[in-house]
Amino acid sequence: MSPPPFAPPPPPVPFPAGGLAVTAWNWERERGDMSTCSVSKGCFVFKPSPKKRRVSPKTADYFREGNNDSEDSGLRFATCQSLWKQIKSETEQIQEELNKQLFDNLVSFLRRSHSEFQEKTTEWTCRMKSREIPTAALVLGVNVTDHDLTFKSLSEVLQNNITPYVALLQAKDCPGIKNLMQKLMGQLMNCYIDVDSSDEEDCVQVSQNRIRCSMASLISWYENITKKTDSETPSKKRTSSRHLQSPPVVVIFKDMESFTTKVLQDFLVISSQHIRELPLILIFGIATSPMIIHSLLPHSVSSLLCIELFQSLSCKEHLSTIIDKLLLTTQFAFKLSEKVLQVLINIFLYHDFSVQNFIKGFQLCIVEHFCSQPLSVLCCRLVEAKKRVNSLSHSQCENVRRLPSFRRYVESQVSEKQIALLTADNFLKEVIQKLLEDLHVYHENYVPVLRCLHVFTSSLPKYPLGKQIRELHCACLENRVWETEEYESSLQLARMLNKSDLVTMLQKCVEIFASSSGKEFDKVVEKLKEFLTQFQKLEVAGACQERGESVSSQKELQKKTDLYHLQKTLLELKESRRSKKLTKFEMLRFEVVDFIDNLVRNYLVPADHKTLHEIMYFNTASALREHLNAAPRIALHTALNNPYCYLKNRALKSDGGTISNKAPDICIVYKLHLECGRLINLVDWLEAFSTVVMAVEGPNAAASDQVDDIIHARFIRAVSELELLGFIKPSKQKTDHVARLTWGGC
Amino acid sequence: MPNLEHPAYPAATLLRLESLVPCRESQVSMLLSIFGERQQFTFPSIFIYGHTSSGKTYVMQTLLNTLQLPHVFVNCVEYFTSRLLLEEILIQLQNCSSETKHASHVLCDTFNDFVRMFKQAVTSQDLQDQTLYIVLDRAEQLREMEANILPAFLRLQELTDRNVTVVLLSEIVWELFRPSTGCFEPFTLYFPDYSIGHLQKILSHNHPPEYSADFYAAYINILLGVFYMVCRDLKELQHLAALNFSKYCEPVVRGEANERDTRKLWKNIEPHLKKAMQTVYLREISSSQWERLQRDDGEPGQLKGLSAHAHVELPYYSKFLLIAAYLASYNPVRTDKRFFLKHHGKIKKTNFMKKHEKTSNHLLGPKPFPLDRLLAILYSIVDNRVAPTANIFSQITSLVTLQLLSLVGHNDQLDGPRYKCTVSLDFIRAIARPQQGSIDTF
């Protein structure tokens, strides 16, 4: 009665595109089959399970090119593993925190509705009210891939807090009411074993096939079980004390949209008749909108439910938190370059809204980086990295020297130092340590300044630098942000901010800097605090000063009597007023903005201007795109149109539009069919095919009758292969013709 | 008032029965006269039909229980296969007379077995000398079981040669049951809907013990005045009455009005009931939420109903896919060239015609379209280039699983699948708003 073991992941398949050493990746369908019905369905890249990875010693070998271990492949692999482990636990924790609110609400709803259930039935209102099934409509958003994890943790939470009896149902397991009941009972009776394993023998006897899959047997099961827990000795009551008295049975419908109306209706009608004997609570997992309940269920059935709505955090907010915690932190040495991050974010926003896929993409980046960049061995904590620098091999030192950013650095040095850097490994190592430290300090400073800038830009009208911090981050990584037009215009706008906004922003910035670990920010904090006190003084002084001024000028006016002087003083007064206004608040404002601008120019230098950035930053966006945003149609077309691309056979190197007879038959047939219209005449096609195939075998043409049979067979096989690939289908419109299923041609 | 009379049963029992089934006296007396005395054979099968909550199940149950007639009561929805149904009947039959419950397992696969075991059970339970009633509630489900089940139940008396009557309860008429091969015709009995007077009488029947019957009757009167137009379901009305009664009593409890101050009470409750009709009755908010609102005296405005959350957030390309699907579903193919090609030449001045077309298209509902057309429209409405990546294709299937599109025809997927767009114009408008692509122009 144990859950079915997962099918072992298929053996690693080398990636056909070649060039990349990441052959450990499988194009494997996700085990939690949620993926096959989501916005983000398609090809997922999944590593074999970590257990498997540890077991097979070969995995680390994929990091090694050739046989020498001069490039620390073992260490790189270990670093990669530990980094991923950290990140994984971090993301799980984030997810937990984000879901906490939702789960707390759900738990309290379950408690409340269950206590209502246990109310005495003698009261008049309780007798008169029809007993409704408590139902939580859980709106989770269209990112169905993420739901699996949510439901898993939800059922854990429920099992810990409310009831051991939680069943998760999925539409594809329940095409009929019978299957639904089977699934439900199977899960419930299994979870009974989990709670109390001493009764296992009883359960084994009642094997699932023998049980009548009806509500009646479910009820009798429930009665038995509650009776048993009630009669348990106090010492054994440990499990039930956590749970409620006579715990409810929670049934979770994972994907409400996919259930058929009939199954749901029948189930609800049946269970509402027995709600008094079996305290059932339903949870509907909804991807679109709660209106789906009404469109799936007629009023007569939905009136049996007592529906309350719960909404999960939007996936966009979830992503922001993930980016905030994974990327905008110095906790992890590994970084993403602008292009890579853009690819990941675009996939998220344009295609699937799936945070899980984003994290998987991030994982892919990590593996790719550690696998393809030999120097990534230094991509770890600073202390550790410094140690590792000392043990770098000569070839690794050569690798460092080959880095473009390092070459730029060398070129900027004086000539003796240049020679030392290029020849002496030990000197090089010292410099590397210093440069790594620089890079670390840069990261420490980068994040708080970025947040500070975000405080300013996120409150400007029209958000010239983007509303989200991730957009700002991308802009800063891309190039010098202060050279962009958007930055210019946002500074212009910042110079027009009003005082209260400015003060709150400054306060926020002070908080950010004070909480940051960067050592250089003490002065900045002081300066900002000074600004704040100046603003406060302004407030206090502003009122009395103005009064005093006007009084004094009045006096002056009274003193000067002649017309010329009067005019002069009036003009002066006017000018001084204008300039005074500037000097008071506006001058301070200018100062603040300039100060921020200065910070930005100092600290928000794009990462690829930094020496040795290649160690930390993964920037092969094209590889990532190739893996995550596959284009099957294009790949198929390339394969058939230009087989050299995949087969790497010299003979196939195509020379333009001609059709080579050395290509595989299917390629010839494909190319020929591209020239046809919607309907293809098979006889013509065969003739063209045999002409192409026979083109070189000129002398043998005499024995054409005999060869024709073989060619005919080859042709038929190629055509049926095309049919299998979905390019053509048999047509009923004309005999001896097939229809094209793709567009193009004439 | 037609008093129930029957020589076989004591008058007191009949009187109690009559008090339990208000407004259904004529049907009950009809049934009684059909049933006859305990040992008398009666109709082999009786078919009772009537609208939802017209008291079919309740009347049958009270009748059989009060007169203590041996019976088996089975709901056909609950026992969804013939095997489950037959086994359940046999199990109930075993427990029928004896109080102790035998949980013995019965195996009964075919109707033949059933007849055999039924005979045994009747003999062993000592039921030969009185009529046994088998009531099948929601009998319309029988039509979905094996073809022999319904005809066999109809002539169970003849097949088993025992004194048994099968009563079928259903919401649909007998004509929809009749198998094409013909069968034994049952005696049909119609339960008419309750009239407003009946409803008033039945609902007032169960008044709360703290208040007088008149007070409650006045409340029911107001309640029916609001809800009778939309809901005649007795159960639902009873539920609503119980939900809102505490609000009705409020002025009395606070001492602002006495029980006879009907006008004041009406003024207090009427807007409240109207609100209830828009929210609780439609299950926009749940009844427990409604009760909490009442207790806290909050405005229902604070609590958003289910339909307030109608907006669905979709990824960028999913939005465009859905819009393209909508356009493909509601525009005829021949207009594609005109709408989506950049150089389509002159648009003929067929404004009037177009308008006429459009309305009729919306009335006709969505039409299926092939995948290629969907993609072609997608490419033309998205500004920048779209690569036909796996992500795009998988989004189409996920839109299908989210029930925003539906797949038409079940043949091979490779043979150019065809889809239909199942969302409404309002939904598309809401989605298209940020995309500034105005749907009305197409």
Side-chain angles (χ1 to χ4, degrees):
Chain A
M1 282 236 172
S2 63
F6 288 131
V13 184
F15 195 68
L20 295 155
V22 231
T23 43
W25 296 83
N26 294 327
W27 289 84
E28 173 192 350
R29 299 207 35 196
E30 201 184 358
R31 290 189 306 260
D33 7 48
M34 211 62 186
S35 64
T36 49
C37 51
S38 73
V39 170
S40 41
K41 199 183 68 174
C43 298
F44 290 97
V45 181
F46 286 101
K47 287 203 295 188
S49 63
K51 212 191 280 170
K52 160 110 184 177
R53 188 166 258 250
R54 246 174 277 126
V55 169
S56 75
K58 276 194 160 180
T59 324
D61 293 350
Y62 292 116
F63 280 61
R64 190 185 302 172
E65 281 170 34
N67 282 325
N68 59 332
D69 195 25
S70 60
E71 292 180 338
D72 306 306
S73 59
L75 193 56
R76 267 190 285 144
F77 178 66
T79 322
C80 172
Q81 290 283 64
S82 74
L83 179 72
W84 169 238
K85 216 176 279 171
Q86 273 179 42
I87 287 180
K88 200 173 167 220
S89 68
E90 176 84 18
T91 51
E92 275 163 10
Q93 205 184 330
I94 293 170
Q95 176 118 33
E96 212 169 279
E97 279 164 23
L98 289 180
N99 281 334
K100 196 173 174 300
Q101 175 75 36
L102 175 71
F103 287 171
D104 284 352
N105 287 345
L106 263 175
V107 165
S108 70
F109 164 74
L110 293 187
R111 277 181 201 285
R112 198 172 54 226
S113 39
H114 192 59
S115 65
E116 272 168 31
F117 172 82
Q118 284 174 329
E119 269 173 23
K120 280 185 211 107
T121 47
T122 46
E123 219 177 301
W124 176 80
T125 39
C126 288
R127 243 181 327 119
M128 296 307 290
K129 255 191 305 185
S130 43
R131 181 76 87 190
E132 292 170 316
I133 311 174
T135 307
L138 188 57
V139 181
L140 290 166
V142 292
N143 46 336
V144 186
T145 12
D146 297 354
H147 296 181
D148 232 9
L149 219 67
T150 317
F151 281 122
K152 217 159 106 199
S153 43
L154 173 64
S155 68
E156 263 168 39
V157 167
L158 293 183
Q159 277 174 343
N160 288 336
N161 295 314
I162 302 276
T163 166
Y165 315 120
V166 179
L168 280 156
L169 295 179
Q170 223 171 353
K172 70 173 181 191
D173 299 332
C174 312
I177 178 76
K178 193 173 161 190
N179 312 70
L180 187 142
M181 292 300 290
Q182 246 165 10
K183 209 80 205 162
L184 179 66
M185 293 177 67
Q187 287 195 21
L188 286 177
M189 298 187 177
N190 267 339
C191 80
Y192 165 64
I193 293 179
D194 290 342
V195 168
D196 198 351
S197 52
S198 65
D199 286 312
E200 210 159 328
E201 301 94 61
D202 292 350
C203 271
V204 172
Q205 283 174 358
V206 197
S207 106
Q208 210 189 309
N209 296 338
R210 312 242 53 199
I211 298 173
R212 300 169 67 233
C213 283
S214 67
M215 209 55 169
S217 39
L218 197 61
I219 289 166
S220 66
W221 162 81
Y222 183 76
E223 271 171 7
N224 266 336
I225 242 171
T226 40
K227 223 185 284 166
K228 230 177 250 174
T229 40
D230 283 346
S231 60
E232 265 176 1
T233 49
S235 62
K236 267 188 92 181
K237 242 183 175 164
R238 193 176 44 82
T239 48
S240 50
S241 63
R242 257 185 320 157
H243 302 132
L244 303 170
Q245 201 69 35
S246 67
V249 175
V250 179
V251 180
I252 303 176
F253 291 85
K254 276 182 169 180
D255 42 351
M256 178 78 176
E257 279 89 354
S258 314
F259 276 92
T260 49
T261 317
K262 175 135 188 11
V263 172
L264 273 180
Q265 272 186 44
D266 284 354
F267 180 71
L268 294 178
V269 168
I270 295 172
S271 41
S272 83
Q273 273 170 358
H274 294 284
I275 187 73
R276 278 163 215 271
E277 295 120 75
L278 185 74
L280 204 66
I281 299 182
L282 306 178
I283 296 178
F284 291 156
I286 295 171
T288 48
S289 82
M291 292 300 283
I292 195 82
I293 297 177
H294 291 312
S295 58
L296 272 179
L297 302 173
H299 183 253
S300 62
V301 177
S302 66
S303 65
L304 302 173
L305 303 175
C306 174
I307 307 166
E308 259 180 63
L309 191 71
F310 296 89
Q311 207 144 18
S312 75
L313 197 70
S314 92
C315 46
K316 284 181 184 167
E317 281 169 56
H318 191 168
L319 181 78
S320 306
T321 334
I322 291 277
I323 288 181
D324 209 53
K325 292 273 166 66
L326 288 190
L327 300 179
L328 302 177
T329 167
T330 48
Q331 195 188 346
F332 305 110
F334 176 77
K335 306 274 173 196
L336 294 180
S337 75
E338 185 263 339
K339 285 219 177 71
V340 173
L341 183 58
Q342 206 67 58
V343 168
L344 287 180
I345 290 177
N346 279 352
I347 289 177
F348 177 86
L349 289 180
Y350 283 3
H351 293 297
D352 56 12
F353 270 177
S354 162
V355 179
Q356 288 312 310
N357 279 0
F358 182 86
I359 294 169
K360 292 276 177 209
F362 190 65
Q363 188 187 6
L364 176 63
C365 293
I366 293 174
V367 174
E368 278 270 16
H369 180 66
F370 280 93
C371 186
S372 57
Q373 174 61 266
L375 288 171
S376 59
V377 69
L378 299 178
C379 182
C380 53
R381 285 176 192 285
L382 182 64
V383 190
E384 183 66 29
K386 276 183 176 173
K387 264 186 228 160
R388 288 185 187 177
V389 169
N390 286 327
S391 52
L392 282 185
S393 64
H394 176 69
S395 69
Q396 283 282 52
C397 290
E398 285 302 311
N399 279 333
V400 173
R401 287 176 189 130
R402 254 174 294 191
L403 291 180
S405 72
F406 188 74
R407 275 200 222 153
R408 275 203 303 268
Y409 171 75
V410 170
E411 277 157 23
S412 68
Q413 304 297 320
V414 286
S415 57
E416 299 98 66
K417 209 177 171 192
Q418 279 186 2
I419 293 166
L421 279 173
L422 292 178
T423 53
D425 279 358
N426 280 338
F427 180 67
L428 176 74
K429 282 175 187 174
E430 271 170 41
V431 174
I432 291 173
Q433 285 184 343
K434 202 177 78 48
L435 287 174
L436 282 178
E437 207 166 314
D438 281 354
L439 205 56
H440 181 74
V441 171
Y442 160 74
H443 283 144
E444 261 185 355
N445 296 338
Y446 177 87
V447 179
V449 175
L450 184 76
R451 286 186 201 281
C452 173
L453 181 61
H454 180 240
V455 166
F456 276 86
T457 55
S458 61
S459 56
L460 298 175
K462 282 194 189 166
Y463 312 106
L465 276 169
K467 198 175 176 181
Q468 305 279 349
I469 195 162
R470 57 166 188 262
E471 293 163 86
L472 191 65
H473 180 54
C474 282
C476 290
L477 283 179
E478 197 181 3
N479 42 33
R480 293 195 177 93
V481 71
W482 57 89
E483 286 172 1
T484 57
E485 264 177 52
E486 291 87 10
Y487 182 78
E488 209 42 59
S489 64
S490 47
L491 275 197
Q492 289 286 347
L493 289 170
R495 287 193 184 105
M496 285 183 262
L497 284 170
N498 65 21
K499 195 159 79 186
S500 62
D501 283 354
L502 207 57
V503 168
T504 48
M505 281 179 206
L506 282 177
Q507 274 160 350
K508 268 188 211 164
C509 292
V510 168
E511 273 169 36
I512 291 169
F513 284 122
S515 62
S516 79
S517 53
K519 281 136 200 130
E520 300 170 25
F521 290 129
D522 294 343
K523 269 188 196 162
V524 176
V525 172
E526 252 169 53
K527 183 78 186 162
L528 286 175
K529 278 185 180 159
E530 197 184 305
F531 280 133
L532 277 175
T533 45
Q534 274 176 335
F535 274 119
Q536 269 171 3
K537 268 186 204 158
L538 252 180
E539 226 165 283
V540 181
C544 52
Q545 215 168 18
E546 216 149 83
R547 211 184 304 128
E549 256 169 45
S550 54
V551 171
S552 66
S553 54
Q554 289 275 315
K555 273 181 191 163
E556 265 175 50
L557 267 183
Q558 283 161 355
K559 247 194 270 173
K560 305 279 190 296
T561 41
D562 78 284
L563 197 63
Y564 173 74
H565 278 281
L566 181 70
Q567 206 172 9
K568 208 179 162 191
T569 38
L570 272 179
L571 270 176
E572 263 171 21
L573 200 65
K574 212 174 172 188
E575 226 150 69
S576 76
R577 257 195 199 149
R578 202 184 290 151
S579 62
K580 274 241 172 70
K581 264 208 175 143
L582 265 177
T583 46
K584 285 296 152 200
F585 169 66
E586 289 176 349
M587 283 304 279
L588 199 55
R589 188 163 62 183
F590 275 129
E591 253 178 70
V592 170
V593 173
D594 285 345
F595 179 73
I596 298 293
D597 184 35
N598 236 2
L599 280 180
V600 169
R601 279 166 201 268
N602 275 336
Y603 294 109
L604 293 189
V605 185
D608 48 7
H609 290 229
K610 287 284 174 187
T611 315
L612 293 187
H613 71 90
E614 289 94 337
I615 292 177
M616 312 283 185
Y617 283 80
F618 174 69
N619 53 11
T620 333
S622 58
L624 193 68
R625 205 177 289 131
E626 202 174 289
H627 283 106
L628 294 185
N629 209 359
R633 277 198 179 186
I634 294 171
L636 204 55
H637 178 80
T638 330
L640 292 173
N641 201 32
N642 185 12
Y644 174 75
C645 182
Y646 288 107
L647 296 178
K648 306 285 179 206
N649 186 340
R650 267 307 135 76
L652 295 177
K653 213 157 192 181
S654 93
D655 41 343
T658 60
I659 306 173
S660 150
N661 65 338
K662 296 208 177 57
D665 292 342
I666 186 170
C667 298
I668 301 173
V669 170
Y670 177 78
K671 276 197 180 177
L672 288 170
H673 114 286
L674 284 181
E675 292 162 9
C676 299
R678 234 189 73 73
L679 286 174
I680 307 170
N681 187 337
L682 277 172
V683 180
D684 294 351
W685 202 4
L686 171 63
E687 234 152 65
F689 177 74
S690 82
T691 317
V692 171
V693 173
M694 302 283 279
V696 176
E697 300 159 7
N700 292 6
S704 67
D705 276 1
Q706 216 213 325
V707 178
D708 222 14
D709 271 354
I710 295 168
I711 289 179
H712 200 174
R714 280 167 61 186
F715 173 74
I716 288 171
R717 191 173 64 183
V719 168
S720 53
E721 277 170 354
L722 269 195
E723 191 183 336
L724 185 72
L725 288 175
F727 285 101
I728 53 170
K729 70 170 182 185
S731 160
K732 279 171 197 152
Q733 291 173 18
K734 263 179 171 178
T735 47
D736 291 349
H737 279 67
V738 289
R740 272 187 76 174
L741 289 169
T742 48
W743 282 16
C746 318
Chain B
M1 196 194 252
N3 267 320
L4 293 177
E5 272 175 30
H6 202 276
Y9 305 102
T13 323
L14 288 178
L15 211 63
R16 202 172 76 235
L17 179 65
E18 193 180 321
S19 73
L20 283 173
V21 287
C23 315
R24 280 284 174 257
E25 291 87 0
S26 65
Q27 280 82 12
V28 170
S29 74
M30 173 71 128
L31 280 172
L32 277 180
S33 49
I34 293 170
F35 287 175
E37 288 171 33
R38 276 172 184 272
Q39 73 284 1
Q40 286 170 342
F41 272 73
T42 166
F43 256 86
S45 46
I46 300 169
F47 181 83
I48 298 175
Y49 68 103
H51 208 263
T52 321
S53 81
S54 50
K56 305 175 294 288
T57 313
Y58 174 74
V59 166
M60 267 327 274
Q61 231 158 4
T62 21
L63 178 65
L64 294 172
N65 281 333
T66 348
L67 299 183
Q68 290 175 327
L69 300 171
H71 66 276
V72 168
F73 209 100
V74 187
N75 188 329
C76 296
V77 179
E78 191 178 337
Y79 300 95
F80 36 83
T81 65
S82 60
R83 194 181 144 203
L84 281 175
L85 184 69
L86 299 179
E87 287 178 359
E88 178 62 24
I89 293 173
L90 289 175
I91 288 173
Q92 284 196 25
L93 196 56
Q94 280 180 358
N95 302 334
C96 193
S97 55
S98 53
E99 287 303 305
T100 51
K101 284 201 169 181
H102 309 286
S104 65
H105 202 68
V106 193
L107 270 178
C108 174
D109 275 330
T110 62
F111 211 89
N112 196 20
D113 287 344
F114 175 71
V115 170
R116 183 171 52 80
M117 289 159 93
F118 182 81
K119 281 188 203 170
Q120 282 173 8
V122 169
T123 329
S124 66
Q125 297 291 322
D126 220 18
L127 291 171
Q128 288 103 321
D129 53 348
Q130 44 186 330
T131 315
L132 176 71
Y133 296 93
I134 296 178
V135 185
L136 300 173
D137 200 358
R138 306 283 301 257
E140 58 269 16
Q141 292 289 324
L142 288 178
R143 300 179 303 168
E144 273 150 46
M145 296 177 188
E146 288 87 335
N148 67 332
I149 298 289
L150 179 62
F153 268 123
L154 289 173
R155 45 175 77 226
L156 191 64
Q157 201 176 69
E158 183 186 326
L159 290 172
T160 55
D161 199 19
R162 293 288 183 274
N163 189 357
V164 60
T165 291
V166 177
V167 183
L168 303 172
L169 306 181
S170 176
E171 287 178 12
I172 54 178
V173 293
W174 168 247
E175 279 66 32
L176 295 170
F177 275 75
R178 199 177 281 140
S180 54
T181 48
C183 67
F184 182 83
E185 291 282 320
F187 176 84
T188 55
L189 183 63
Y190 175 60
F191 275 40
D193 283 350
Y194 290 117
S195 68
I196 188 164
H198 288 162
L199 286 175
Q200 167 85 38
K201 194 173 161 196
I202 297 168
L203 286 172
S204 324
H205 192 68
N206 268 320
H207 63 89
E210 306 95 81
Y211 295 95
S212 69
D214 284 348
F215 179 65
Y216 192 67
Y219 167 63
I220 292 298
N221 196 11
I222 295 170
L223 185 89
L224 281 177
V226 176
F227 280 103
Y228 186 70
M229 291 304 285
V230 292
C231 173
R232 299 182 184 187
D233 187 331
L234 184 62
K235 254 190 234 159
E236 186 73 21
L237 284 171
Q238 204 163 29
H239 180 69
L240 287 166
L243 272 186
N244 295 306
F245 187 60
S246 65
K247 179 83 179 172
Y248 183 69
C249 299
E250 233 171 45
V252 181
V253 173
R254 278 200 303 249
E256 287 168 10
N258 63 11
E259 289 195 12
R260 293 176 185 282
D261 217 341
T262 9
R263 201 183 145 65
K264 204 166 189 176
L265 291 172
W266 179 76
K267 261 197 164 168
N268 175 42
I269 193 73
E270 214 247 349
H272 186 75
L273 287 180
K274 285 212 164 128
K275 240 176 251 163
M277 185 159 74
Q278 286 157 6
T279 54
V280 189
Y281 172 65
L282 293 176
R283 293 302 187 273
E284 284 282 304
I285 64 177
S286 74
S287 38
S288 62
Q289 276 173 324
W290 179 252
E291 280 189 320
R292 246 174 291 144
L293 269 181
Q294 252 175 33
R295 224 173 299 140
D296 311 338
D297 228 5
E299 275 292 298
Q302 313 159 349
L303 242 171
K304 277 186 187 164
L306 293 184
S307 54
H309 298 269
H311 182 64
V312 179
E313 226 176 300
L314 287 171
Y316 187 75
Y317 282 136
S318 296
K319 279 182 192 169
F320 275 111
L321 273 172
L322 203 55
I323 294 170
Y326 185 82
L327 294 174
S329 263
Y330 286 97
N331 283 336
V333 182
R334 65 197 152 77
T335 58
D336 278 0
K337 224 174 189 171
R338 194 171 68 202
F339 287 146
F340 303 118
L341 235 57
K342 279 208 175 98
H343 309 289
H344 48 68
K346 268 189 266 174
I347 295 178
K348 284 176 212 157
K349 289 209 166 178
T350 49
N351 258 344
F352 175 71
M353 274 296 288
K354 215 170 91 187
K355 207 158 212 173
H356 171 70
E357 248 170 40
K358 204 167 80 180
T359 44
S360 64
N361 275 339
H362 278 286
L363 289 177
L364 286 173
K367 291 187 187 61
F369 53 85
L371 175 66
D372 282 327
R373 192 174 158 223
L374 172 69
L375 289 178
I377 295 179
L378 175 76
Y379 296 148
S380 79
I381 58 173
V382 180
D383 290 335
N384 39 4
R385 259 188 63 230
V386 192
T389 60
N391 280 329
I392 295 277
F393 293 119
S394 63
Q395 277 180 54
I396 297 174
T397 31
S398 44
L399 286 175
V400 172
T401 48
L402 293 179
Q403 305 247 310
L404 299 172
L405 298 184
S406 70
L407 193 60
V408 186
H410 296 288
N411 47 13
D412 196 5
Q413 291 267 318
L414 288 175
D415 283 7
R418 294 163 75 79
Y419 300 94
K420 254 186 195 181
C421 184
T422 54
V423 296
S424 64
L425 182 60
D426 290 334
F427 188 92
I428 287 289
R429 276 211 187 106
I431 279 180
R433 202 169 296 129
Q435 254 68 41
Q436 93 270 320
S438 131
I439 293 304
D440 298 322
T441 54
F442 290 125

